[in-house]
């Protein structure tokens, strides 16, 4: 799909998916760092990234608040 390089299974799609996953991991790490410092976090980002990051943030939040 020319309009969405993440769809499909060519080399460019593979690189686009990997870059997106790395970006999501990086953003989650920063969010977690700021939350651990007691800061309020407000993130403005694309919808698909929010969907991908939500499970990691929910797991992190639950883990940190069970103790």
């Amino acid at each position: 799909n020319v309009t969405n390089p993440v769809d499909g299974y060519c080399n460019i799609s593979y690189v686009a998916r990997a870059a997106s996953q790395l970006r999501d991991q990086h953003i989650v790490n920063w969010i977690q760092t700021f939350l651990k410092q007691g800061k309020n976090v407000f993130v403005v980002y694309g919808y698909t990234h929010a969907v991908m990051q939500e499970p990691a943030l929910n797991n992190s939040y639950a883990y940190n608040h069970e103790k």
Side-chain angles (χ1 to χ4, degrees), residues 36-55:
K36 287 177 184 176
Q37 294 173 2
K39 296 181 179 181
N40 294 322
V41 178
F42 180 79
V43 179
V44 178
Y45 219 84
Y47 170 74
T48 57
H49 291 286
V51 170
M52 297 303 291
Q53 296 165 7
E54 183 179 22

Side-chain angles (χ1 to χ4, degrees), residues 3-67:
T3 60
N4 186 353
V6 178
D7 289 342
Y9 296 97
C10 66
N11 288 336
I12 293 173
S13 298
Y14 174 77
V15 171
R17 279 191 300 275
S20 182
Q21 289 173 345
L22 287 172
R23 186 180 311 115
D24 288 334
Q25 290 171 355
H26 181 72
I27 292 167
V28 166
N29 288 340
W30 273 111
I31 292 169
Q32 290 172 335
T33 297
F34 291 128
L35 290 175
K36 287 177 184 176
Q37 294 173 2
K39 296 181 179 181
N40 294 322
V41 178
F42 180 79
V43 179
V44 178
Y45 219 84
Y47 170 74
T48 57
H49 291 286
V51 170
M52 297 303 291
Q53 296 165 7
E54 183 179 22
L57 292 170
N58 284 338
N59 289 339
S60 168
Y61 183 82
Y63 175 77
N64 288 326
H65 286 82
E66 287 178 359
K67 294 181 179 182

